[in-house]
Amino acid sequence: MSRLKSIHLLTILALVLSSVALWGFSAQVRAQRQAPSPIALEFPPPPAGSRSGPRSTVGGGVRGDNDASCRAEDTMPLTALMPTRDNMATTVAGNPTFFIYVPENSAEGGEFAIVSEEGEEIYFNEFEVSDTSGIVKVSLPETTNLKVGETYLWQFALVCDRSDRQADELVQGEIERKALSEELQTQLESATPLEQAEMYAQERIWNETVTILAQLRPEYPEQWEELLTSVGLGEFSDPPFAECCTVEN
């Protein structure tokens, strides 16, 4: 083979190899652009030395004897979907939403109340929960307006016997309303719902995080499970939302 032909073949081979390498690099770049960015929905723990709420998010005959319980046997306890490490939740809404797991029961009714730290009743409602098993959604009415910077006490009760309120099964907790910063507000406006949930989680704003993910649960079940698992409530990621227990405002 002549020297000229050898040079010509080597030139063609170099061009082919360069084209293959360039195509591979372009494909990699396209894949990186098309791949969704990872979303972390683990709720961070409270800062060291932060205040811990004195009330439990897990129920189970708090007022009276468990033998008088109206909860079905071998069921998970009445439980608030709320961080269990500090028993406190935060929100930026004046009328936040609460999610409570209600086990199968024979209660005569259910009650939800929220009061200020001074004992002033902010909201109270009664509703039917008998034969209910699932996650109940309790949304405060628009007329409710929790104040920024203040902490409120809430309670959800299964009324097992109206003539003996000591037999109630109940779960309690605290919630504080925080101000939404201008920077976070701007970021939220251009974010997808899932990205918004991540932003709220990073700021340790629980109620908005769990409310958004509850809406996205059918599409993002893994993120819903990740969030609940991060606060010690992984076993409550499977129960369905209860459709029978809408709270009338």
Side-chain angles (χ1 to χ4, degrees):
M1 182 181 294
S2 68
R3 177 182 176 83
L4 183 59
K5 288 185 177 180
S6 298
I7 295 175
H8 182 66
L9 289 175
L10 288 174
T11 302
I12 293 176
L13 180 60
L15 290 173
V16 171
L17 291 176
S18 298
S19 298
V20 171
L22 181 60
W23 180 88
F25 176 75
S26 299
Q28 183 180 4
V29 171
R30 288 196 302 271
Q32 291 176 347
R33 289 176 178 175
Q34 294 171 359
S37 58
I39 299 292
L41 267 308
E42 289 189 4
F43 201 75
S50 62
R51 174 189 174 190
S52 294
R55 293 163 177 78
S56 173
T57 59
V58 178
V62 176
R63 282 184 180 163
D65 190 343
N66 281 337
D67 292 338
S69 172
C70 53
R71 169 165 54 94
E73 295 183 3
D74 300 323
T75 59
M76 294 187 293
L78 177 70
T79 304
L81 301 192
M82 190 170 287
T84 58
R85 284 188 286 249
D86 55 1
N87 293 340
M88 291 187 65
T90 52
T91 183
V92 296
N95 58 326
T97 297
F98 297 79
F99 295 90
I100 316 290
Y101 170 76
V102 177
E104 183 179 348
N105 68 88
S106 57
E108 295 183 10
E111 293 180 354
F112 181 87
I114 184 167
V115 299
S116 66
E117 288 190 308
E118 292 74 29
E120 177 188 0
E121 183 177 287
I122 305 300
Y123 177 75
F124 176 82
N125 210 333
E126 299 176 294
F127 40 91
E128 293 295 327
V129 293
S130 61
D131 298 323
T132 294
S133 177
I135 299 172
V136 173
K137 176 182 176 181
V138 181
S139 297
L140 301 187
E142 294 182 358
T143 53
T144 302
N145 186 25
L146 305 186
K147 296 180 180 179
V148 173
E150 294 195 12
T151 300
Y152 297 83
L153 315 179
W154 61 265
Q155 177 175 288
F156 184 102
L158 290 178
V159 183
C160 296
D161 184 353
R162 293 195 182 280
S163 64
D164 179 17
R165 296 306 300 271
Q166 292 299 313
D168 284 5
E169 287 233 9
L170 56 86
V171 62
Q172 302 169 314
E174 297 183 351
I175 187 168
E176 177 188 3
R177 184 181 180 187
K178 290 187 173 183
L180 185 63
S181 68
E182 292 185 6
E183 179 181 1
L184 181 56
Q185 178 64 55
T186 301
Q187 294 174 347
L188 290 169
E189 291 174 355
S190 59
T192 67
L194 191 61
E195 290 171 340
Q196 290 176 349
E198 182 185 34
M199 292 176 186
Y200 280 122
Q202 291 173 347
E203 295 295 325
R204 299 201 77 254
I205 300 175
W206 173 258
N207 274 58
E208 278 63 33
T209 304
V210 71
T211 299
I212 292 173
L213 278 184
Q215 297 172 342
L216 299 177
R217 178 182 177 182
E219 186 178 358
Y220 298 100
E222 292 182 0
Q223 283 77 6
W224 170 257
E225 181 179 3
E226 179 183 10
L227 176 68
L228 295 186
T229 299
S230 70
V231 294
L233 297 172
E235 66 269 34
F236 296 95
S237 61
D238 291 331
F241 290 103
E243 298 179 357
C244 64
C245 304
T246 302
V247 179
E248 296 182 0
N249 295 327

